[in-house]
Amino acid sequence: MPATPPIPSSVLIIGSGVFGLSTAYALATNPKYKDTVITLVDRSSFPSRDSSSIDTSRIIRPDYADPAYAALADKAQELWRSSEWGADGRYTETGLCVTAGAGGTNYGINSLKNVLDMEAKKLSPNAKVTRKESRGFGRPLIEVLETEADLRRVLGTGGTNGVQGYVNWTSGWGDAEECMHYLNQKVASTQRVRRVRATVSRLDIDHSVSPKKVRGALLDDGRCLFADFTILATGAWTPALLDLRGIARSVAQTVSYITISDSETRALEKMPTPLNLETGLFVISPSANHIKLARHGHGYTNPTRIPHPELPLEEAYHNPITVSIPRTHLTDPPLPEHLPAEATAALRSLCTSLYPPGVAPHDKSFSPLPIAERPFAGTRMCYYTDRPHCDFLIDYHPEYDGSLFVATAGGGHGFKFMPVIGDIIVQCIEGQTPAEFQQKWQWPERRVPEEEEWNLDGSRGGPQGMILEEEYKKGGKAKL
């Protein structure tokens, strides 16, 4: 990559998730790129029904064990809280309750320290009160919860999801699908971005020059999209277009929904999101008369044999690689309509623990069943793209002479950065990656073999090493 990359005459962005759309908007509104032709290609019309960000809700929090991510998330959250980004119900601030077993976790301990440190800097110069206290809430901004009784008091459901932890009342959640629609409308309003609906089968790589260059993308309908500069922002599908073995992998996380009534929604809507760092299980406050149960865990891999994505086509099929890529209800073969029995049992256990029958809010006029005994109204897989330490991958690919930039590996936590991530990606493209992220986001010097332990960031819980197809083969559905 040149020290000062030139402004390209044309840019192709592959993928219209959070990273892709945010980058398109940042480029379209940046005067430096006023003469640049911007094309955005995605395999589905917007919104893609199996995109991880097209969902009822996403946690928005500054609660990170890493100070750099905590500070960036705090900056983004100020925009969610006080600007158009979170307006019209797109952002709701009900708090995040970080929990664990009696011994706690290093991630939880460090997250608490970081949010306390950041809030200490925001204290009124004339009074030792937090922002929420000064607005009349009458409670600490961040509460340490030492006992299970403390957790039950804060959650207010009659149940719990852990035995101790803390609650940060300034964390919240976003209506994910509405936020994506809002961002999509902002992109459209620039009238600068050409949209193409097509499936990218391969990058168009010129192997005749040294170093190699990416000229754009080859589509599965035979067309080519050419550009001076290509940005790959394809999330969990990135391992199908680049050889990311030992660099990043896609994993499936499990989600389910339970229908509740209007009165139950009112009773539960102010509950903070309880996230257990040891099990990974969490529940987000009700949205559209549904409770969302999910696991922020190590996930399931979906090993798939594919032609090598970066070799010339005549060589690619003779040199296949095995990578984990998504399997959804839109793929071939499609994902089964139910979750693996292991996941169903885990989410059902969470529901029973948090909403114990006979204790949790219950509207008899709506359903004869307590919340914990109701069937799932829907299930899905949410795909993460993980690196060994859960850092984003936002950098030039070193083998393509400045013609290919990669923005991926959201690791399940990219959504909350929506208000700021596009501008930062453009900074990185211009060679101005923030100092605190230079080493974290750069293309790695070595690949970490899959058989080595990927420590991730310490925020994941639950079982490890699960393979999607093997879990489905273990037996029938558990009780929904």
Side-chain angles (χ1 to χ4, degrees):
M1 182 195 77
T4 305
I7 301 298
S9 62
S10 57
V11 172
L12 173 63
I13 302 172
I14 306 174
S16 62
V18 171
F19 283 10
L21 269 182
S22 297
T23 303
Y25 182 70
L27 289 172
T29 55
N30 189 322
K32 295 180 185 177
Y33 300 87
K34 62 182 178 61
D35 297 321
T36 300
V37 176
I38 304 168
T39 301
L40 180 64
V41 60
D42 198 286
R43 64 190 176 86
S44 300
S45 58
F46 189 89
S48 174
R49 302 319 306 181
D50 61 352
S51 168
S52 63
S53 293
I54 304 301
D55 193 10
T56 57
S57 50
R58 282 288 182 275
I59 298 172
I60 295 176
R61 59 174 170 102
D63 303 78
Y64 279 88
D66 186 305
Y69 286 105
L72 183 60
D74 189 59
K75 179 181 178 182
Q77 192 165 16
E78 286 297 334
L79 294 174
W80 285 114
R81 181 182 294 122
S82 61
S83 77
E84 62 188 34
W85 285 98
D88 300 323
R90 287 187 290 273
Y91 172 68
T92 302
E93 197 162 280
T94 55
L96 174 70
C97 189
V98 179
T99 75
T105 67
N106 288 334
Y107 190 96
I109 293 168
N110 291 327
S111 293
L112 175 60
K113 178 182 183 302
N114 286 335
V115 293
L116 287 173
D117 287 348
M118 289 190 296
E119 288 305 327
K121 297 176 183 178
K122 301 174 186 177
L123 292 175
S124 164
N126 300 317
K128 292 185 178 180
V129 294
T130 63
R131 291 175 298 152
K132 265 193 184 286
E133 286 175 329
S134 67
R135 294 203 299 266
F137 278 74
R139 66 188 178 199
L141 182 71
I142 299 165
E143 293 186 58
V144 176
L145 308 173
E146 297 180 348
T147 67
E148 191 170 340
D150 289 337
L151 281 175
R152 292 181 188 274
R153 170 182 57 82
V154 165
L155 294 176
T157 65
T160 187
N161 184 25
V163 299
Q164 58 81 36
Y166 76 91
V167 58
N168 181 353
W169 289 110
T170 66
S171 291
W173 60 275
D175 184 330
E177 183 166 352
E178 285 303 311
C179 291
M180 289 297 290
H181 276 292
Y182 176 70
L183 176 56
N184 188 56
Q185 290 166 3
K186 287 173 74 71
V187 171
S189 70
T190 69
Q191 299 184 339
R192 292 278 328 279
V193 180
R194 172 194 175 208
R195 304 292 288 265
V196 176
R197 180 185 176 185
T199 298
V200 173
S201 58
R202 294 175 62 85
L203 294 173
D204 183 10
I205 302 171
D206 186 353
H207 293 274
S208 68
V209 297
S210 182
K212 298 174 290 186
K213 285 186 178 291
V214 171
R215 298 174 295 201
L218 305 176
L219 309 181
D220 65 353
D221 60 8
R223 290 180 293 163
C224 300
L225 294 176
F226 298 107
D228 291 338
F229 184 55
T230 299
I231 301 172
L232 193 58
T234 42
W237 280 265
T238 310
L241 298 174
L242 281 180
D243 182 4
L244 293 182
R245 290 174 297 173
I247 296 175
R249 64 186 177 199
S250 299
V251 297
Q253 305 285 347
T254 52
V255 180
S256 67
Y257 307 88
I258 291 179
T259 304
I260 60 174
S261 68
D262 290 341
S263 63
E264 289 167 334
T265 296
R266 289 191 294 271
L268 297 170
E269 63 186 359
K270 294 183 179 180
M271 178 191 77
T273 294
L275 169 61
N276 188 310
L277 294 174
E278 292 181 316
T279 66
L281 296 169
F282 67 94
V283 177
I284 297 183
S285 300
S287 173
N289 291 107
H290 285 91
I291 292 171
K292 174 181 172 180
L293 308 139
R295 182 166 61 193
H296 180 63
H298 298 274
Y300 306 101
T301 56
N302 181 42
T304 307
R305 198 76 166 159
I306 63 170
H308 196 295
E310 295 182 67
L311 291 178
L313 194 57
E314 59 273 16
E315 300 177 28
Y317 286 91
H318 298 292
N319 296 275
I321 62 175
T322 299
V323 295
S324 179
I325 55 177
R327 182 182 176 188
T328 75
H329 64 284
L330 298 181
T331 58
D332 184 16
L335 194 70
E337 293 183 1
H338 61 279
L339 298 177
E342 174 276 331
T344 300
L347 296 177
R348 179 58 60 195
S349 173
L350 166 65
C351 192
T352 302
S353 175
L354 194 57
Y355 308 105
V359 179
H362 173 47
D363 181 357
K364 292 183 179 179
S365 66
F366 180 77
S367 170
L369 288 175
I371 292 174
E373 297 179 11
R374 295 177 197 173
F376 291 160
T379 62
R380 66 173 297 188
M381 291 289 185
C382 174
Y383 280 88
Y384 291 4
T385 312
D386 289 336
R387 291 184 65 196
H389 300 291
C390 285
D391 290 310
F392 299 156
L393 179 59
I394 303 178
D395 199 6
Y396 285 86
H397 193 301
E399 296 182 9
Y400 295 105
D401 195 29
S403 62
L404 177 64
F405 192 87
V406 181
T408 191
H413 65 119
F415 174 87
K416 66 180 66 64
F417 299 100
M418 183 188 291
V420 298
I421 196 64
D423 288 332
I424 294 177
I425 290 173
V426 173
Q427 281 183 244
C428 297
I429 290 170
E430 295 176 347
Q432 300 172 16
T433 303
E436 64 271 28
F437 292 113
Q438 284 181 356
Q439 291 188 336
K440 297 178 186 297
W441 294 354
Q442 69 183 5
W443 196 269
E445 294 182 356
R446 65 177 290 265
R447 296 174 184 252
V448 181
E450 294 288 329
E451 59 269 18
E452 289 187 25
E453 183 177 353
W454 286 30
N455 295 322
L456 303 179
D457 63 354
S459 71
R460 308 295 181 83
Q464 301 184 39
M466 295 186 295
I467 298 174
L468 187 62
E469 187 62 28
E470 290 183 0
E471 291 302 318
Y472 274 118
K473 288 179 178 178
K474 287 183 177 179
K477 295 181 286 185
K479 179 183 176 183
L480 293 180

